[in-house]
Amino acid sequence: MFLWTLKRSSSRVMSGRRVLVFSSVGELGSSLAQLLSSRAEKALSSGGSCFSLGLSGGSLVSILSKELPAVPNLDCSKWLIGFCDERLVPFSDPESTYGLYKNQLFGKINIPEERILAIDPSLPVKECAEDYASKLSKAFSTEKIPVFDVLLLGMGPDGHTCSLFPDHPLLQERQKTVAPISDSPKPPPQRVTMTLPMVNAARCVVFVSTGGSKAPVLKHVLEGGEGPALPAALVSPDQGELFWLLDEPAAASLTSPVERPGPGAKL
Ligand SMILES: O=C1O[C@H](COP(=O)(O)O)[C@@H](O)[C@H](O)[C@H]1O
């Protein structure tokens, strides 16, 4: 117990982030759902009119769609949902992140349709990014950077997160909150993505990464390596919390201290 406590605190002090390793994807998903529920309660009980949540696509969709509806008495009527990135394809396309969440999650929670901020996939990519940025500004009533309560991020095996890819000029974007990309190395090529200033303005950023294919890149991102920092390593909220939720295969190569929370642990 003492050792666990010591490891946990040294991990937090050294890096300002929490790296948590779960014994299964199910345990991870259920802790993630609890974390969202508790952050929503905190946001709403401290006088906020909504709890704002940014979703990512990829493997996160099925984890969240399974675990979030299982939270007892979850009330999402005051949630505001946006997307950290989105692929520029029709919502009916299997590559559409919105389309996947619509089919797998939104019908199972009581989120009002008008509280889901999605891109307009009929627009050309540049206009689509501008239109989405303007939807976010309106919803957050700000001309500045919208500050999400929680952003959920994934990470590809190349270290990309959102649609921010290694060595891509978009990593230098400092003016826009949302940007278009037309040359995504991962298909589909046209996408819309939050930029690093927007991601790092969030109150809480949670990465979810599972499976052994992520182990080498996780080692690089969390413990350092040769070459320029990978996009996921550039996520470091200016003032907010940063969590990395991993399963054992994804964490297999890590040697720095991590937390291993027991079932039902509160984050
Ligand atoms: O293309 C994308 O990939 C990342 C990572 O996906 P994963 O399946 O490796 O978890 C995802 O976070 C992003 O939203 C998506 O557009």
Side-chain angles (χ1 to χ4, degrees):
M1 178 60 187
F2 172 70
L3 185 62
W4 183 84
T5 310
L6 189 67
K7 276 186 157 191
R8 172 183 158 146
S9 54
S10 62
S11 138
R12 294 180 74 174
V13 169
M14 275 167 59
S15 59
R17 67 176 181 228
R18 292 179 68 182
V19 180
L20 296 105
V21 181
F22 295 86
S23 56
S24 68
V25 177
E27 294 276 341
L28 184 161
S30 127
S31 288
L32 171 65
Q34 287 300 338
L35 182 148
L36 292 180
S37 164
S38 83
R39 293 306 184 279
E41 211 176 293
K42 188 173 155 197
L44 294 168
S45 66
S46 61
S49 58
C50 74
F51 166 65
S52 50
L53 171 66
L55 302 176
S56 289
S59 49
L60 185 66
V61 181
S62 57
I63 298 176
L64 202 59
S65 302
K66 179 161 180 249
E67 301 296 342
L68 197 56
V71 175
N73 306 317
L74 185 72
D75 180 7
C76 303
S77 59
K78 291 189 175 157
W79 289 26
L80 181 71
I81 289 186
F83 293 83
C84 301
D85 73 322
E86 178 59 285
R87 294 107 182 254
L88 192 62
V89 292
F91 291 150
S92 56
D93 189 300
E95 292 278 14
S96 163
T97 297
Y98 170 87
L100 292 176
Y101 278 111
K102 185 166 172 46
N103 291 337
Q104 296 180 39
L105 177 67
F106 296 151
K108 297 187 205 155
I109 55 175
N110 63 331
I111 174 86
E113 182 102 29
E114 65 277 11
R115 285 180 163 266
I116 302 173
L117 305 174
I119 65 158
D120 178 348
S122 69
L123 295 171
V125 70
K126 186 168 169 284
E127 284 78 2
C128 181
E130 287 166 0
D131 174 67
Y132 182 56
S134 134
K135 277 182 189 157
L136 292 181
S137 292
K138 269 191 208 131
F140 283 78
S141 309
T142 183
E143 292 296 307
K144 298 186 188 152
I145 300 182
V147 176
F148 272 81
D149 290 308
V150 177
L151 294 180
L152 298 183
L153 300 185
M155 180 186 64
D158 58 352
H160 85 267
T161 188
C162 299
S163 288
L164 300 168
F165 291 88
D167 299 324
H168 195 279
L170 266 190
L171 296 177
Q172 312 308 325
E173 176 61 57
R174 295 292 176 267
Q175 304 304 321
K176 295 181 179 131
T177 54
V178 171
I181 168 167
S182 310
D183 56 357
S184 163
K186 177 178 174 181
Q190 293 199 317
R191 293 153 171 252
V192 163
T193 184
M194 289 186 184
T195 59
L196 283 169
M198 172 105 174
V199 171
N200 285 330
R203 292 192 182 89
C204 177
V205 175
V206 183
F207 275 96
V208 174
S209 203
T210 59
S213 68
K214 304 285 169 69
V217 73
L218 270 167
K219 172 108 186 133
H220 192 286
V221 165
L222 295 178
E223 298 182 354
E226 287 184 5
L230 292 169
L234 299 173
V235 173
S236 176
D238 303 328
Q239 302 186 12
E241 305 173 281
L242 176 61
F243 289 92
W244 280 86
L245 308 188
L246 314 175
D247 67 352
E248 290 286 356
S253 303
L254 299 181
T255 48
S256 55
V258 297
E259 298 176 54
R260 283 194 164 74
K266 298 227 179 318
L267 304 181

